[in-house]
Amino acid sequence: MGKGARRIRLEPSGIRYWAVGQADLLSAAAGAGVAVPFACRNGVCELCEARLLAGYALNTRNQQMIPTGARLMMCRTVALGDIELEIPAVMAAGKNQPRTFQANVVDVRSINHDVYRIELQLPRRRELSFHAGQYLSVVLPGADPCYFSIASSPSEQNIELHIQATPEWVSAQKVIDALTSGETVRLELPHGKACIASAPEKPLLLVAAGTGFAQMKSLVDYLRGTSFDQPVKLFWGVRHHEDMYLGSKARQWEQDWPGFTFQPVVGDDEDNDWSGHHEQLVRTVLASGVDWNNVEVHASGSPAMVYALMDALVDAGLPPEGFFSDVLEYAPRS
């Protein structure tokens, strides 16, 4: 960050972001993608209340210094240097507790030969908080929960899902049948720790296989609404060209967003093992010329793909703590 930037640290989440110029703490948080609750933006609703733990800050309403330990409204406060705040309403990545919601089915449509785009509306949307890259479960009566990545940004009013379903995939097909025939569905969310709660400070490398693109779409839509200015590379691996169900959207991102590049990776149609080993996708990522010591990697796909990719990137020099995937949580190595 340049001259005049102040680092803001939020506790207990540990989230950090920068405030530049005369930006108030709430506006700076919004620019960094930090989800601070607010309504009025003039200090009346008190939803953005925090407590000053350390540093110097100014109340812009009365132009008075705020003493350490005092409460403040982030929309009416400017940092005069690096500061630390206590705000329990802001959760760290993956720390939101899952809750059950009844959602209205807004739209179910086929977007290629076996992928459906689902749009769901939560009547109490303001009660839901999740981070970009998290997932949810659809709970049908008498069936085990079915888990799907959330494809929409946390700032969107409706929830978007991408569900791959064929008659052979019984559980996914049951979900599609239920969504198509019903007006409401029961959800549990959010789940997942491989998510982003504020704009990262390093370049991003996103790797998806199949409908793993849904998680990457959530991350991209979220980051495009922040002040994030680092390069982003998206690799999307599919077996056949027709499996790249939203390739046009990824190509549009590349046109509209400076610093964003999209690399489609299409498997050899005659290689029956490609979908299991994902060697072509891993080789393409390795050949990307990325500085593995200065990048954050998010991967979404099958456990086989994710672990093959992680092993290859760590061998190439990526610090293990720079690799994020939900697979590491729900399918840990024994």
Side-chain angles (χ1 to χ4, degrees), residues 133-137 147-150 189-192 326 329-330:
Q134 292 195 287
Y135 60 96
L136 56 73
S137 63
Y147 296 92
F148 304 102
S149 292
I150 300 172
L189 70 161
H191 295 286
D326 289 317
E329 179 184 2
Y330 72 76

Side-chain angles (χ1 to χ4, degrees), residues 185-225:
V185 64
R186 186 180 170 204
L187 308 175
E188 185 180 83
L189 70 161
H191 295 286
K193 298 179 180 179
C195 52
I196 295 179
S198 61
E201 297 183 356
K202 293 182 177 182
L204 277 184
L205 193 150
L206 311 177
V207 185
T211 52
F213 174 79
Q215 183 181 28
M216 303 310 155
K217 179 180 178 297
S218 176
L219 294 176
V220 171
D221 284 348
Y222 162 75
L223 289 171
R224 292 182 71 195

Side-chain angles (χ1 to χ4, degrees), residues 258-277:
F260 179 89
T261 56
F262 170 49
Q263 177 63 63
V265 182
V266 181
D268 179 357
D269 291 353
E270 297 179 358
D271 181 0
N272 292 329
D273 293 329
W274 184 87
S275 62
H277 296 292

Side-chain angles (χ1 to χ4, degrees), residues 10-15 35 87-99 127-135 189-198 326 329:
L10 306 182
E11 295 294 351
S13 67
I15 291 174
I87 177 167
V90 176
M91 302 297 291
K95 295 300 183 180
N96 286 314
Q97 293 300 309
R99 298 173 54 194
E127 298 180 13
L128 169 65
S129 176
F130 70 93
H131 295 310
Q134 292 195 287
Y135 60 96
L189 70 161
H191 295 286
K193 298 179 180 179
C195 52
I196 295 179
S198 61
D326 289 317
E329 179 184 2

Side-chain angles (χ1 to χ4, degrees), residues 89-107:
V90 176
M91 302 297 291
K95 295 300 183 180
N96 286 314
Q97 293 300 309
R99 298 173 54 194
T100 300
F101 295 86
Q102 201 73 17
N104 298 322
V105 179
V106 175
D107 188 41

Side-chain angles (χ1 to χ4, degrees), residues 128-175:
L128 169 65
S129 176
F130 70 93
H131 295 310
Q134 292 195 287
Y135 60 96
L136 56 73
S137 63
V138 176
V139 184
L140 300 180
D144 292 333
C146 293
Y147 296 92
F148 304 102
S149 292
I150 300 172
S152 43
S153 166
S155 63
E156 296 292 328
Q157 287 300 305
N158 290 348
I159 301 293
E160 179 181 344
L161 306 176
H162 302 162
I163 299 179
Q164 188 174 26
T166 66
E168 293 78 25
W169 297 329
V170 176
S171 59
Q173 190 60 55
K174 283 184 177 179
V175 171

Side-chain angles (χ1 to χ4, degrees), residues 111-112 115 160 162 208 210-211 213-214 217 220 234-238 240-256 260-266:
I111 53 177
N112 83 341
V115 176
E160 179 181 344
H162 302 162
T211 52
F213 174 79
K217 179 180 178 297
V220 171
L234 168 64
F235 296 82
W236 187 6
V238 296
H240 304 290
H241 287 280
E242 57 267 28
D243 296 332
M244 198 159 285
Y245 56 89
L246 284 179
S248 59
K249 179 172 286 293
R251 286 187 285 271
Q252 191 65 49
W253 290 336
E254 190 171 39
Q255 292 181 22
D256 297 343
F260 179 89
T261 56
F262 170 49
Q263 177 63 63
V265 182
V266 181

